[in-house]
Amino acid sequence: MSGVAEITGNLQANRDAHHARWGVDPCAWMTAGRRPAVGAPTARGDGRPETPLEILAPGGAWYAVHDPHRPLDEARAWLAGVVDAARRASAVCVIGAGAGWVIDALEEQRGDVRMLVLEPDSACCAAMFDRRDYRHLIEAGRLMVLGGPAFDGAAHAWRVLGRIAAEPPRLIHPLIAVARREATVTAARIVQKATAGALANERARRQFAAPYLLNTLRNVPALARESDVGALVDLYRGAPVVIAGAGPSLNRNLEELRPYRDRAIFITADTALKPSLAAGLVPDFVVAVDPGGPNARHLTHLPPCDTALVAEASVQSESLDAFVGRTFLFRVAAHQPWPWLASAGVEMTMLRAWGSVVVTAFDFGIAIGGDPVVLIGADLAYTGGQPYCRGTVYEEDWALRVAHGESLDDIWRGDVARHPAVVETHDGQAIATASHLTQFRDALLHAARSASARVVNATGAGILRGEGIEQGTLRRIFEERSSLPRRPLPRRELEPSVAAALRQGVRDLRSSASMPDEWTSILREHEPPDPSLPAQLSAIVARLFE
């Protein structure tokens, strides 16, 4: 194997492809100057001749990571221990791939396998990327490599696993595990978390793909009438943006924001809209993502306001009714029916979701040019034992149950108990949260680290802490700032030719003997099974543009 002291063609090409596909470079340490390539003997500087990849183990001895003569055969033998499971699995997790021979063996065994590789020593990532060209795997979304000990990008490792129905086989290199024990333990935790995320994503796909399809089709007239959110990009370049979640601290945060409301662009998650309006603070924008029926409650039966709606095109149609002419649509993925819409020329700006509307609101705040971006009501924890702030649509549910004899504390305890408990300690304080909330926190931290803007958490409670997010107060941020001028919102509607092609596409659907196969497959796989879905689809198509 050639040394990795210099950046070779394969190495650079693989790094570039990996960063473009996954947003992370597992070999970034090479150019960041963090440490030398300790996995490669040529970088040791001890005068010994170049040999195959070695690693320094505890005690100071160097060991070959692979059989120096038959590394691929060794990898095949390693894989034989899980061969049956690997052949059935669509994805495999590898902790410690060294120079990557096990990837070759996996490709031999199954040509479409997806591979998550966590390398405890990132110098091995360089050795792997140096040895051969992996771009076809990386660009196809079939290979993600995360380098230790930091494993940057771990929050999104689940994405490479794709659609899995069971835990994928896991391979752990015994020598690398001993030599980099702590990083290997960390990698195993990341694999477990990524697997849980992929399984949850597949469950969500089966649960939500059909509503996403049907709701987006119902909203085709809105797609033709309203604006793409892309019209707002950079509209408020350099202006402070406040983003409100509906965490327990929001009511206090709103009072803290009151003196400075005119000094910021104010964005709320859909759950935080009604509490904000009740406090007399009218948001500039409200963001909605969830296609579920219950979420429409946050956006209906509203008092008069001029808030603009930034909505995923799959939200319930009634969610759009109060915002006609003030709606800006986006998408979070390329799921059906977007391939069909794209065939008519319909394109829509994409915002990130990652399971939480607050993450999407944050992405929107960055897209419009906000700086700083300030988060409030983002506890991501059960501050004071509350699941949400006061004044959301859930207040009505709580009041009804209290009227029937339950105590509010018991109601909140029951809501909190629905999720597996997680306790984190920050500044010596134990904070009650849940696994899904910690995942949202991790997603926000990842988004903040990649943002060019300053990001401040002014919630004053909860678990939203970490690299990329400052802790601060609204007073400190805004007391020296001036009011922002109000400006009209630009719009970007469909070109007439695209609108005409969309209408023709609808007519073609009506005249077809059957719906697209991808759509019928989504309806068939929906959980729980619903035999009425095909009839719903036909009825939606029949009513479009009537």
Side-chain angles (χ1 to χ4, degrees), residues 25-50:
D25 176 7
C27 303
W29 59 272
M30 295 187 71
T31 47
R34 289 207 298 263
R35 60 187 181 84
V38 296
T42 52
R44 292 204 308 258
D46 61 3
R48 291 173 59 186
E50 181 178 342

Side-chain angles (χ1 to χ4, degrees), residues 339-388:
W340 173 78
L341 289 166
S343 69
V346 180
E347 296 291 344
M348 199 64 60
T349 299
M350 185 178 294
L351 295 178
R352 292 178 286 191
W354 295 337
S356 169
V357 65
V358 174
V359 178
T360 307
F362 178 87
D363 203 31
F364 173 62
I366 294 295
I368 63 176
D371 191 1
V373 175
V374 184
L375 293 144
I376 62 174
D379 303 66
L380 303 175
Y382 302 120
T383 306
Q386 293 180 216
Y388 292 97

Side-chain angles (χ1 to χ4, degrees), residues 126-495:
M128 182 175 75
F129 276 9
D130 179 58
R131 187 179 64 82
R132 58 165 283 201
D133 189 344
Y134 292 99
R135 283 178 293 175
H136 68 291
L137 293 174
I138 295 167
E139 291 166 358
R142 291 178 46 214
L143 174 65
M144 176 188 280
V145 181
L146 302 179
F151 298 107
D152 292 338
H156 308 291
W158 62 271
R159 292 165 56 198
V160 73
L161 299 180
R163 296 183 57 183
I164 59 173
E167 289 197 11
R170 187 182 308 182
L171 297 166
I172 303 176
H173 195 293
L175 176 60
I176 294 175
V178 171
R180 301 291 180 266
R181 183 181 180 279
E182 289 187 8
T184 299
V185 171
T186 300
R189 291 176 180 147
I190 292 170
V191 166
Q192 194 66 33
K193 197 169 186 178
T195 299
L199 289 169
N201 188 64
E202 175 60 12
R203 288 192 297 270
R205 191 200 68 81
R206 290 178 175 270
Q207 184 178 356
F208 294 117
Y212 188 95
L213 168 68
L214 299 180
N215 287 357
T216 305
L217 289 172
R218 284 191 185 97
N219 291 333
V220 162
L223 287 171
R225 179 184 70 240
E226 299 289 355
S227 176
D228 181 345
V229 76
L232 304 177
V233 170
D234 284 336
L235 181 63
Y236 300 104
R237 175 59 57 188
V241 166
V242 173
I243 296 173
S249 296
L250 179 62
N251 306 107
R252 170 176 52 80
N253 293 155
L254 291 172
E255 293 307 311
E256 294 165 347
L257 177 64
R258 188 179 301 281
Y260 314 112
R261 168 62 188 92
D262 61 347
R263 304 180 191 186
I265 303 303
F266 184 29
I267 303 169
T268 69
D270 51 2
T271 43
L273 175 60
K274 289 188 175 180
S276 299
L277 293 175
L281 300 179
V282 179
D284 296 289
F285 301 96
V286 57
V287 179
V289 179
D290 197 315
N295 276 68
R297 297 171 61 195
H298 303 302
L299 301 174
T300 53
H301 306 293
L302 299 173
C305 67
D306 60 358
T307 301
L309 173 63
V310 176
E312 218 286 340
S314 66
V315 299
Q316 294 283 317
S317 296
E318 57 265 37
S319 300
L320 309 179
D321 292 345
F323 302 92
V324 173
R326 293 180 286 116
T327 296
F328 297 84
L329 296 168
F330 65 91
R331 61 186 177 92
V332 297
H335 304 316
Q336 293 291 345
W338 283 107
W340 173 78
L341 289 166
S343 69
V346 180
E347 296 291 344
M348 199 64 60
T349 299
M350 185 178 294
L351 295 178
R352 292 178 286 191
W354 295 337
S356 169
V357 65
V358 174
V359 178
T360 307
F362 178 87
D363 203 31
F364 173 62
I366 294 295
I368 63 176
D371 191 1
V373 175
V374 184
L375 293 144
I376 62 174
D379 303 66
L380 303 175
Y382 302 120
T383 306
Q386 293 180 216
Y388 292 97
C389 65
R390 305 303 300 268
T392 68
V393 296
Y394 307 118
E395 196 78 35
E396 302 169 11
D397 304 334
W398 298 340
L400 183 62
R401 293 172 63 183
V402 168
H404 284 80
E406 295 183 71
S407 75
L408 191 55
D409 286 342
D410 285 343
I411 294 170
W412 287 348
R413 275 193 291 270
D415 288 348
V416 169
R418 289 165 49 201
H419 304 283
V422 173
V423 177
E424 291 192 356
T425 301
H426 296 278
D427 296 331
Q429 179 185 6
I431 301 175
T433 180
S435 58
H436 69 290
L437 298 177
T438 64
Q439 290 172 7
F440 300 160
R441 185 267 314 280
D442 293 345
L444 278 170
L445 287 173
H446 179 82
R449 284 194 295 268
S450 63
S452 58
R454 176 187 173 205
V455 182
V456 183
N457 177 25
T459 303
I463 64 167
L464 184 55
R465 305 157 191 250
E467 181 185 354
I469 297 183
E470 301 175 28
Q471 302 301 309
T473 65
L474 292 168
R475 178 179 178 180
R476 184 178 303 168
I477 295 165
F478 290 108
E479 62 181 349
E480 301 297 329
R481 293 182 178 268
S482 302
S483 299
L484 294 179
R486 299 293 101 179
R487 61 184 66 181
L489 299 180
R491 294 178 61 80
R492 189 168 76 201
E493 300 169 3
L494 293 184
E495 295 290 336

